[in-house]
Amino acid sequence: GAVVSQHPSWVICKSGTSVKIECRSLDFQATTMFWYRQFPKQSLMLMATSNEGSKATYEQGVEKDKFLINHASLTLSTLTVTSAHPEDSSFYICSARDRVSYEQYFGPGTRLTVT
Amino acid sequence: QKEVEQNSGPLSVPEGAIASLNCTYSDRGSQSFFWYRQYSGKSPELIMSIYSNGDKEDGRFTAQLNKASQYVSLLIRDSQPSDSATYLCAVKGVGSWGKLQFGAGTQVVVTP
């Protein structure tokens, strides 16, 4: 149990384009999902907290107009990187909090490369 | 002061020995504590959660929590080469709406 999927697992896009990443909790419901970014050899950096049916809460320094988050259902949250630039190249990881156990489970991550 | 602190390592452990990882946190009101394992290039995997003072054992893993000292540790018994990874300590603070504060992680290298 407690499986979180992400799609795509990797993506290469051109500078200036937008990329959407999906995060799904497959066998549990998640009222809250979290989006992280991780650069090589660095720890996880929380970008935003996504609550089902409401606006996401962004961490300080994260541009909400650049990283659009939608949490339309109890099993799906999406992150859209708009007008991507090479410095946005990173490993993006979502986690979902089980609404019953409150434990958080991570998706496998999406590796984004912007050329 | 960082909210969650871990030694970065690497912690080199002979195969079959015990690996001991430490974590301290600053928010005295924290109630939930987690250990995640992250292999290089992969996302973190939850291996242990602990909420009460004392020890919690799960297979070869034992988590220890001392809230008075604001300290949580992870022991890995009979270490295997497959245990080589970065171990992340995560703490959920009071009223944080489930946000976890992560330490920077301790890299463990198990040598055959």
Side-chain angles (χ1 to χ4, degrees):
Chain A
V3 178
V4 177
S5 70
Q6 272 184 252
H7 178 81
S9 56
W10 60 270
V11 58
I12 301 173
C13 71
K14 291 186 184 298
S15 187
T17 61
S18 295
V19 174
K20 180 185 281 188
I21 302 170
E22 291 187 350
C23 176
R24 292 181 187 272
S25 56
L26 298 185
D27 50 4
F28 64 97
Q29 292 183 329
T31 48
T32 304
M33 292 186 176
F34 303 88
W35 287 95
Y36 296 86
R37 181 166 54 182
Q38 187 175 39
F39 293 105
K41 298 193 184 301
Q42 294 186 24
S43 191
L44 296 166
M45 187 194 83
L46 179 66
M47 299 175 67
T49 302
S50 161
N51 291 297
E52 185 263 339
S54 63
K55 288 183 179 180
T57 302
Y58 292 81
E59 295 300 300
Q60 191 172 13
V62 178
E63 300 174 59
K64 63 180 181 181
D65 294 329
K66 181 172 181 62
F67 299 99
L68 302 178
I69 292 172
N70 182 275
H71 192 157
S73 77
L74 288 173
T75 59
L76 173 65
S77 177
T78 61
L79 167 69
T80 301
V81 183
T82 63
S83 186
H85 291 284
E87 57 265 32
D88 298 322
S89 298
S90 187
F91 191 39
Y92 291 86
I93 312 171
C94 73
S95 76
R97 186 176 69 166
D98 188 315
R99 67 184 300 192
V100 175
S101 72
Y102 279 73
E103 291 187 343
Q104 285 187 32
Y105 300 92
F106 283 87
T110 296
R111 195 162 299 282
L112 169 64
T113 301
V114 184
T115 60
Chain B
Q1 182 189 4
K2 291 182 182 177
E3 297 192 37
V4 180
E5 297 215 35
Q6 296 180 252
N7 291 327
S8 61
L11 176 65
S12 184
V13 180
E15 185 174 357
I18 296 175
S20 178
L21 292 78
N22 303 319
C23 172
T24 58
Y25 59 94
S26 61
D27 183 352
R28 185 170 287 279
S30 298
Q31 296 294 322
S32 308
F33 307 86
F34 307 88
W35 284 100
Y36 287 85
R37 176 176 62 199
Q38 186 175 24
Y39 293 112
S40 180
K42 302 294 184 182
S43 69
E45 171 192 11
L46 179 65
I47 54 173
M48 288 286 286
S49 59
I50 187 166
Y51 306 99
S52 304
N53 281 329
D55 295 359
K56 180 182 177 182
E57 187 174 315
D58 184 358
R60 295 186 296 110
F61 299 100
T62 299
Q64 299 173 317
L65 174 62
N66 183 326
K67 290 184 181 179
S69 300
Q70 296 175 238
Y71 173 93
V72 59
S73 66
L74 180 70
L75 300 177
I76 307 174
R77 289 183 302 281
D78 187 24
S79 296
Q80 303 296 310
S82 59
D83 294 326
S84 297
T86 297
Y87 289 80
L88 302 171
C89 172
V91 176
K92 179 179 172 301
V94 176
S96 62
W97 297 100
K99 273 196 317 188
L100 295 178
Q101 298 291 339
F102 282 91
T106 298
Q107 184 186 4
V108 172
V109 178
V110 180
T111 54

